[in-house]
Amino acid sequence: MYGDIFSQIKSSLTMADVVEHYGFEVKRGVMLCPFHSDSHPSLKVYPGSRGWHCFVCDAGGSVIDFVAKLFHLNARQAAIRLDNDFRLGLSTEKPDRREVDRWVREQREKQAVLDAYRAEYDAKCREAYLIRSMQKPPPESPLWGEYAALMGRLDYLDNYYFIQNHWR
Ligand SMILES: [Zn+2]
């Protein structure tokens, strides 16, 4: 069923129709690529149903692939979105807001986890640096116990980096 909608969308819409609808400007068959930071238009828009291809980031495909990538949708959601946005009337299905919202939420959660991890890693780097830059007190000093504890902490931090850096 969806295969049919896919081919109908591809034959009803040109790539230029689609990108212009979503606010992109095509000049002499090329436009700025939204999928990498493009300062010089490198996304080629092919005539008719031949789709698109970026010569820098190598992304490309059909109108459906473009909309899927642009709005972070799967192919089925992208087809429904195009069908609705261009009022093609191929499907009675409406774009699934919940599916899109869930995707956006998942991306935000992943980003938050990554940010927290980076912040923790940076904090540990700073801590290890501070411990290393401390002066070693003489063994009879009252500070010795604290220093020894910090050395233990440093072992832990070094081990932490080792695990983090070998984990990926
Ligand atoms: Zn690109």
Side-chain angles (χ1 to χ4, degrees), residues 33-38 42-43 52 54-59:
C33 174
F35 307 120
H36 76 271
S37 55
D38 202 2
S42 43
L43 192 150
W52 58 288
C54 172
F55 291 100
V56 173
C57 69
D58 208 32

Side-chain angles (χ1 to χ4, degrees), residues 6 14 17 26 42 44-45 47 81 90 93 108 117 129 140 146 159-161 167:
F6 290 163
T14 68
D17 290 339
V26 182
S42 43
K44 175 78 183 158
V45 172
R81 169 136 195 186
L90 300 172
E93 229 179 303
R108 286 206 189 112
Y117 165 74
Y129 175 79
E140 65 278 13
E146 201 182 318
N159 205 36
Y160 173 84
Y161 300 139
W167 180 48

Side-chain angles (χ1 to χ4, degrees), residues 83-144:
D83 182 37
N84 274 267
D85 288 353
F86 285 89
R87 297 187 167 80
L88 299 176
L90 300 172
S91 164
T92 52
E93 229 179 303
K94 295 280 165 250
D96 188 340
R97 271 287 130 213
R98 273 178 316 175
E99 217 170 327
V100 175
D101 290 349
R102 181 168 46 76
W103 189 93
V104 169
R105 196 168 58 242
E106 278 171 12
Q107 292 306 305
R108 286 206 189 112
E109 282 165 6
K110 276 188 213 159
Q111 191 57 49
V113 168
L114 192 63
D115 289 348
Y117 165 74
R118 284 189 181 138
E120 193 193 350
Y121 190 92
D122 288 350
K124 283 186 161 66
C125 282
R126 277 195 301 275
E127 191 184 352
Y129 175 79
L130 282 174
I131 295 173
R132 281 213 174 76
S133 62
M134 278 179 42
Q135 224 171 2
K136 189 178 176 179
E140 65 278 13
S141 158
L143 292 173
W144 179 257

